Structure formats: structure tokens, C-alpha cells
């Protein structure tokens, strides 16, 4: 039986291996606080200004969807290398009136001209290098973010898209304070930004990344938001903004005097205005699985997040010995995610049938996979995927591991009526394809590089090769957990393929290891994605490695950080615990409408 907390006392992060600095103030007057406890609604994002904007909407009577879209638009200003109207994402909504969980698939789509050889160089028949493919027009899919915002507001919101864009437009005009994370993201992309006139003008003032403490403004994005507010989403999918997107993709704004050298030709893409006009959102049923009496809802395909998180939790539940020590639970968690990733890589893509999705998150399948777990010895990685038509512990041939970019953002919102939004959205790599649309102020996605460039599954079909109008597979895992039909926990994270393990580990920490939500958020992380070595933060390796290594687990090079999650927990009496990162990605920002006293 899990324990619910009516309130929390102060939490010492030093005991968890992480140390938070004093909360910084920002240009808009907002302050980053990683934990907030109270009532009346909650917002958690990676950014103080976005959280403040979302809370203001809630205080003015808006609901969770209104606040989520306003905060998301603000993140398009302050987190431009992770998300924005040049990208796409997945929106999960709990409706308190009906008790129903629904989703919006706003994933980007490939051009109609794309084939399964889209990322094969015709000159030599070999896949492009990732960086060559990324920094090009080839990598950009039709953005779905703006359509998602509009659809969510029309279906569940109380405010218009025009109203929801205004606070972010003001923020873009006024500017925000550059922190160390923002500056480092620019520095990491400086060579690519320097190739394009529009990108270097906005993000390399004077030829260098903006200094920490300076104010970053984006008047072009403010104007774009206001144009959309006046004319609607058609200005992107059928009008002038869309025309500029297509022109940028087909004719990258390469500078006549690029700053710095670049190793690859910058290839144009084939995206057309017809591709933009043909874009449609999808509304798939969420994935649903049960864990310890809780109901876990996630995102279905083309995301692999709901499938993989649900499968990993089911394997964890089936494979945990009774009783289990903390080491035993972590061992089973690492084995469960490796097995789930083997199945995800083999079977999950945009066109995976609902019957296969249902099978992968079934208890019967979990039992078939959990029977491989030895509580005294780690499996040799990579493990083979399960055999869909087999029985017992039957496995198929092993495929090759695949990865995704790391840059995404996530927000969690709840309102006073009990509605909940969990929203993960992205432009794929940090900085997307690194091209700012001239005069429009936003970066384009490189989402199509989430396709596998060439087959990865040997003689078996690869579910994630490019195709006309196809959506690339994602690991985004916006998750809502219900207890007795009511919200208990909503959570999500950025981090490419590590999103799946971050969300699963947060649930493990909270539900199995007895941590409070802020403790679960701050605890060190490890990610086993069916590779020979576990990717882990140093604090995890140092704390748990001595017990896990004798079981046969090995560690790869330390990861600086894994994920940048947000979450909201619902406590008795209408209480809320909003939680964001205390340290990762510079720390997140959580807030509630009425703080507990």
C-alpha cells in the first residue's frame, strides 16, 4: 500500500547528492523554486517566467489547459532551443468532469516526398552523418505545436489562442535574463548558428554567445505571436509564416561570410507548402496499464513512451522479489527498462498496430519478459526482444540499439477543478536544425532525424524508417496516474530516449523506494536502454554502484544529468505538491495558486 502525504517539511537536497543554489530572480520578477505546496492549482515547468505566466492564468480564472498553453508559449521564448512553434509534441489531458484521459498527437510529419532512403546519401549509398542531416533542411518536419495549442484550447480551454499568446509576446518584447544554461546552449551550437544569418543575428550578438545576466529579447517572435493571434493558425499552415518556413527549409539562410568552419554541406530540404496544408493532428486513445492498484495513462504511438513506461512498470511489478531490498528494486528496474527498450526498438513505430501496443503493455507479456530476470545476476546486454507469437520466455533475434536527441521541455499543470495537463514538446536536438526562420524569431525542428536512417533490426522490419507523411518515433512520455479514478500524480521529462527511464525511475522512487515527490525528483538517476553500460549520474554510480556491480551491472561514462522533469502530486483535501528539478538544467520552477501556510 502506498502512502499519501498531507504536507511536506523542508527537504535537504545535500542528503540526495544534489545541492541547490539560492533561487535566482528573473527579468519578469519570477523566482525559481523547485517545490511548492498548496491549493487552488499548480504549475511546474523548467522556467520561472513560464511558471509565473501559467499561475497568473489560473489566478484569473483560467483552467489547466489555458494555463498550459500560455506557459508553453512562454517556453517558446525562454527555452527556444528545446521547444516552440517550430516543433511538435504530445499533450495528455485529464478531464475532471468526465474522468476521462485524452491525448493530442502533435508530432511533426515527414514531407510527402520522403522515402525509406530519405537519409541515405545518393553519392555513396551510406547514411548521412547525424550532424550533416541535422543541420540541413532535410531534418525538418511539419510543425505540430501551434495546431496542438489551438485544438487543446478549443476542446477544453476557456480562453482563445489569441489571449493565450499575449503574455508570451510581452515576454519576448521585454526579454528575459540569460542564465548559464542558456548561454551554454548557445555556445554548444555556435558553430552551426554562425553559418546562418538569421541565427547568428539573434543568438550571437557581437559574434559571441550572450553573457550571463544580460537581457535576451526576441521582437520577431513577439510579432509572430501577435500575427497568429490576429489571423489564427492558418497563417502558419496556409499563409505567410508557413511560406517563410518552406523557404528556410528549401533555401537555408546560409551567410555569405559564415562564422567559423563547418565540415558538411548544408543541404536543402523538400518540405512544401502542400505538406504544411496537409498537416492533421491525431487523437489516439492513451495507453493504459495498472501498477499496484494505480492506473497509468501515457502517450500511444508514434511515441514509444506510453508503451515502454507501461511495459517496464509491468515487468517491474511481475519481476520484483518479495520482499525486495532497495538494491533488488533498482536491479529489477534496470533489467525491466532494458527489456522494454529491446521490445520498443523492434516493434514500436508510427504504424504499430493497436493490437501489438495492447500486447506489449499487457500483464501476460510482462510475465513472459520478467521470467528472464534473475534477482542475483544481471542479463547480458543487449537483450533480445520478445517473440510476439511465442510463449514462456521466447525471444527474437537481437536488434541494434537506437537513440534520440536530448532537447525537449515538459510542463505539468493542475487547476482548482481537478483538470490536469501533462505536456511534452520539442524541436529534437538542442537548437533544432539551428536555423531561425528569418523575420519570424523561432528555430525549426530537426525532428526527422528521430527516424532510423537505415534498418536497425537485421532481417526483421524496422518500424521507424522514414516515409511520406510519416511521424518519427518518439520517447516523450507525458504520464498521468490515477488512484480510484482520481488524479494522484502527473509527470514527464525531456531527455530523448532517457525520458522513458527518467519517468519510470521517478515512479519507482515515489512508489517503491518510499521517497516523497521532491526527494524522488532530486534523487540521482540511471538509464539502462539495453546497452552494455548503464548511463548514470555520478551520484547514482557512487551510491548504488558498489551493490549493483557485483550483480553484473556495468556503468558507462558518467552523464552530467539525466532529464529535467516536472510533476504534480495530488494529496488529501485538495492539496497539491508541485515539483521541478532543484539542479538539473539550471533548476526548474514550481508554483501553486495558494501556498500552504
Amino acid at each position: 500500500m502506498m502512502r499519501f502525504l498531507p504536507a511536506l517539511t523542508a527537504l535537504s537536497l545535500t542528503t540526495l547528492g544534489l545541492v541547490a543554489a539560492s533561487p535566482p530572480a528573473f527579468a519578469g520578477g519570477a523566482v525559481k523554486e523547485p517545490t511548492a505546496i498548496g491549493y487552488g492549482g499548480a504549475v511546474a515547468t523548467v522556467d520561472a517566467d513560464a511558471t509565473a505566466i501559467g499561475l497568473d492564468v489560473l489566478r484569473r480564472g483560467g483552467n489547466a489547459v489555458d494555463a498550459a498553453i500560455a506557459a508553453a508559449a512562454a517556453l517558446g521564448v525562454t527555452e527556444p532551443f528545446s521547444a516552440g512553434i517550430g516543433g511538435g509534441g504530445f499533450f495528455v489531458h485529464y478531464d475532471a468532469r468526465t474522468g476521462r484521459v485524452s491525448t493530442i498527437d502533435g508530432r511533426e510529419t515527414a514531407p510527402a516526398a520522403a522515402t525509406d532512403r530519405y537519409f541515405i546519401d545518393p553519392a555513396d549509398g551510406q547514411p548521412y552523418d547525424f550532424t550533416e542531416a541535422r543541420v540541413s533542411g532535410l531534418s525538418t518536419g511539419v510543425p505540430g505545436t501551434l495546431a496542438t495549442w489551438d485544438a487543446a484550447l478549443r476542446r477544453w480551454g476557456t480562453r482563445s489562442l489569441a489571449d493565450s499568446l499575449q503574455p508570451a509576446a510581452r515576454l519576448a518584447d521585454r526579454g528575459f535574463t540569460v542564465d548559464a544554461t542558456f548561454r551554454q546552449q548557445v555556445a554548444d551550437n555556435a558553430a552551426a548558428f554562425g553559418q546562418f544569418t538569421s541565427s547568428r543575428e539573434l543568438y550571437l550578438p557581437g559574434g559571441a554567445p550572450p553573457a550571463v545576466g544580460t537581457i535576451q529579447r526576441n521582437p520577431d517572435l513577439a510579432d509572430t505571436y501577435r500575427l497568429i493571434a490576429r489571423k489564427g493558425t492558418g497563417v502558419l499552415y496556409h499563409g505567410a509564416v508557413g511560406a517563410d518556413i518552406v523557404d528556410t527549409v528549401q533555401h537555408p539562410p546560409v551567410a555569405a561570410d559564415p562564422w567559423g568552419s563547418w565540415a558538411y554541406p548544408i543541404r536543402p530540404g523538400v518540405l512544401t507548402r502542400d505538406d504544411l496544408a496537409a498537416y492533421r493532428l491525431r487523437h489516439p486513445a492513451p495507453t493504459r496499464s495498472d501498477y499496484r492498484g494505480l492506473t497509468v495513462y501515457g502517450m500511444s504511438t508514434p511515441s514509444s513512451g506510453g508503451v515502454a513506461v507501461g511495459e517496464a512498470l509491468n515487468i517491474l511489478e511481475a519481476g520484483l522479489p518479495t520482499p525486495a531490498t532497495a538494491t533488488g528494486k533498482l536491479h529489477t528496474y534496470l533489467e525491466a527498462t532494458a527489456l522494454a527498450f529491446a521490445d520498443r526498438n523492434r516493434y514500436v513505430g508510427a504504424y504499430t498496430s493497436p493490437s501489438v501496443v495492447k500486447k506489449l503493455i499487457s500483464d501476460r507479456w510482462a510475465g513472459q519478459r520478467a521470467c528472464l530476470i534473475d534477482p542475483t545476476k544481471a542479463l547480458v546486454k543487449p537483450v533480445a526482444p520478445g517473440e510476439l507469437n511465442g510463449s514462456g520466455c521466447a525471444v527474437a533475434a537481437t536488434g541494434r540499439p537506437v537513440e534520440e536527441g536530448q532537447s525537449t521541455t515538459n510542463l505539468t499543470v493542475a487547476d482548482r477543478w481537478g483538470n490536469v495537463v501533462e505536456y511534452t514538446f520539442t524541436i529534437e536536438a538542442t537548437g533544432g536544425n539551428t536555423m531561425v526562420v528569418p523575420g519570424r524569431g523561432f528555430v525549426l525542428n530537426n525532428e526527422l532525424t528521430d527516424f532510423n536512417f537505415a534498418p536497425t533490426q537485421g532481417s526483421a522490419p524496422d518500424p521507424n524508417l522514414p516515409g511520406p507523411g510519416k511521424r518519427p518515433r518518439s520517447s516523450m512520455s507525458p504520464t498521468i496516474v490515477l488512484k480510484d479514478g482520481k488524479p494522484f500524480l502527473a509527470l514527464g521529462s525531456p531527455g530523448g530516449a532517457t525520458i522513458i527511464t527518467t519517468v519510470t525511475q521517478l515512479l519507482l522512487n515515489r512508489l517503491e523506494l518510499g521517497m516523497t515527490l521532491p526527494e524522488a525528483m532530486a534523487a540521482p538517476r540511471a538509464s539502462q536502454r539495453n546497452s552494455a553500460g548503464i548511463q548514470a549520474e555520478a551520484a547514482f554510480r557512487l551510491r548504488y554502484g558498489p551493490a549493483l556491480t557485483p550483480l553484473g551491472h556495468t556503468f558507462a561514462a558518467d552523464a552530467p544529468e539525466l532529464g529535467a522533469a516536472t510533476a504534480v502530486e495530488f494529496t488529501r483535501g485538495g492539496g497539491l505538491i508541485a515539483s521541478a528539478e532543484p539542479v538539473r538544467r539550471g533548476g526548474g520552477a514550481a508554483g501553486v495558486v495558494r501556498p500552504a501556510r
Side-chain angles (χ1 to χ4, degrees):
M1 233 5 228
M2 58 187 301
R3 296 171 300 151
F4 291 82
L5 302 176
L8 293 176
T9 55
L11 172 67
S12 173
L13 298 176
T14 57
T15 64
L16 298 169
L18 298 168
V19 179
S22 299
F26 287 78
V31 173
K32 280 190 173 182
E33 295 283 2
T35 302
I37 305 164
Y39 304 89
V43 180
T45 79
V46 298
D47 176 73
D49 288 315
T51 294
I53 283 171
L55 285 173
D56 184 64
V57 171
L58 293 179
R59 291 186 177 113
R60 293 174 182 269
N63 67 17
V65 172
D66 301 326
I69 301 310
L75 290 170
V77 178
T78 60
E79 289 277 302
F81 312 130
S82 299
I85 60 173
F90 299 106
F91 192 98
V92 180
H93 176 259
Y94 171 81
D95 189 319
R97 183 178 59 84
T98 64
R100 182 180 179 185
V101 177
S102 304
T103 75
I104 300 175
D105 165 15
R107 184 70 159 159
E108 301 89 339
T109 58
T115 71
D116 60 0
R117 296 183 62 81
Y118 188 73
F119 286 115
I120 302 297
D121 190 340
D124 60 11
Q126 297 299 308
Y128 293 122
D129 180 88
F130 175 83
T131 302
E132 180 178 6
R134 175 204 167 194
V135 182
S136 77
L138 289 172
S139 65
T140 299
V142 179
T145 291
L146 190 60
T148 300
W149 294 354
D150 188 50
L153 287 165
R154 289 179 184 275
R155 185 171 179 184
W156 300 299
T158 66
R159 293 159 55 106
S160 68
L161 179 63
D163 289 341
S164 299
L165 291 173
Q166 294 304 326
R170 291 192 292 270
L171 177 62
D173 270 333
R174 183 185 68 231
F176 61 93
T177 303
V178 172
D179 63 7
T181 299
F182 186 93
R183 187 184 191 284
Q184 187 61 53
Q185 289 175 339
V186 175
D188 291 343
N189 281 288
F193 285 166
Q195 307 307 302
F196 305 108
T197 54
S198 51
S199 304
R200 71 189 193 186
E201 179 182 356
L202 183 57
Y203 293 121
L204 294 170
V212 173
T214 58
I215 301 299
Q216 179 72 32
R217 296 182 174 88
N218 192 339
D220 284 347
L221 182 57
D223 289 343
T224 300
Y225 277 169
R226 292 189 178 108
L227 177 64
I228 295 167
R230 292 195 305 273
K231 296 191 173 183
T233 61
V235 76
L236 190 149
Y237 294 101
H238 305 279
V241 175
D244 288 343
I245 290 173
V246 169
D247 187 60
T248 303
V249 167
Q250 295 185 358
H251 308 283
V254 179
D257 57 338
W259 295 347
S261 60
W262 191 250
Y264 304 102
I266 297 173
R267 300 178 183 273
V270 295
L271 191 75
T272 68
R273 296 185 69 173
D274 286 343
D275 292 320
L276 294 182
Y279 185 82
R280 298 293 184 272
L281 296 170
R282 295 176 64 252
H283 303 273
T287 61
R288 174 177 172 167
S289 57
D290 296 320
Y291 185 82
R292 306 287 195 217
L294 302 170
T295 307
V296 181
Y297 288 95
M299 193 69 215
S300 191
T301 58
S303 176
S304 63
V307 175
V309 170
E311 181 181 349
L313 289 173
N314 287 341
I315 295 171
L316 183 66
E317 187 173 23
L320 270 180
T322 304
T325 63
T327 298
K329 291 175 181 178
L330 289 168
H331 166 72
T332 308
Y333 153 71
L334 295 168
E335 300 290 82
T337 56
L339 291 163
F341 262 89
D343 297 337
R344 171 248 198 203
N345 291 345
R346 171 57 60 86
Y347 299 118
V348 182
Y351 301 143
T352 302
S353 70
S355 63
V356 171
V357 169
K358 185 176 180 180
K359 182 165 190 173
L360 292 175
I361 55 175
S362 69
D363 289 336
R364 183 174 180 179
W365 180 261
Q368 179 178 327
R369 302 300 274 146
C371 72
L372 296 169
I373 298 176
D374 182 338
T376 68
K377 184 180 180 181
L379 293 161
V380 176
K381 313 298 188 305
V383 298
E387 175 55 62
L388 283 179
N389 298 315
S391 59
C393 297
V395 296
T398 303
R400 179 163 55 85
V402 291
E403 290 294 337
E404 296 170 17
Q406 298 291 307
S407 182
T408 303
T409 195
N410 188 83
L411 60 84
T412 310
V413 181
D415 64 30
R416 62 184 175 182
W417 299 283
N419 302 301
V420 184
V421 169
E422 190 61 50
Y423 183 30
T424 314
F425 53 118
T426 184
I427 57 173
E428 212 272 358
T430 303
N433 79 348
T434 71
M435 299 180 199
V436 171
V437 179
R440 301 301 184 184
F442 61 89
V443 182
L444 288 176
N445 71 81
N446 66 299
E447 212 63 65
L448 301 189
T449 58
D450 269 353
F451 285 121
N452 297 336
F453 289 14
T456 64
Q457 299 303 306
S459 60
D462 189 312
N464 191 41
L465 292 175
K470 189 176 181 181
R471 287 158 153 87
R473 181 173 60 201
S474 170
S475 289
M476 289 184 275
S477 306
T479 303
I480 294 178
V481 182
L482 304 186
K483 182 178 186 292
D484 299 327
K486 301 294 184 182
F488 164 63
L489 188 62
L491 70 162
S493 178
T498 70
I499 294 172
I500 291 167
T501 55
T502 294
V503 170
T504 305
Q505 190 177 358
L506 280 168
L507 290 168
L508 174 84
N509 291 346
R510 179 67 188 89
L511 304 178
E512 295 288 350
L513 296 179
M515 298 182 191
T516 65
L517 179 60
E519 288 171 340
M521 186 73 70
R525 293 177 187 151
S527 181
Q528 171 51 274
R529 304 187 300 282
N530 201 24
S531 58
I534 299 166
Q535 187 181 19
E537 295 170 343
F540 183 96
R541 178 181 54 79
L542 292 171
R543 181 173 308 169
Y544 301 114
L548 291 170
T549 300
L551 297 178
H553 293 285
T554 60
F555 290 85
D558 291 342
E561 61 185 24
L562 293 173
T566 65
V568 171
E569 182 173 332
F570 302 79
T571 62
R572 290 195 180 104
L576 298 164
I577 304 168
S579 183
E581 298 285 357
V583 175
R584 296 178 185 95
R585 202 186 276 190
V592 292
V593 172
R594 298 198 314 275
R597 302 195 181 278

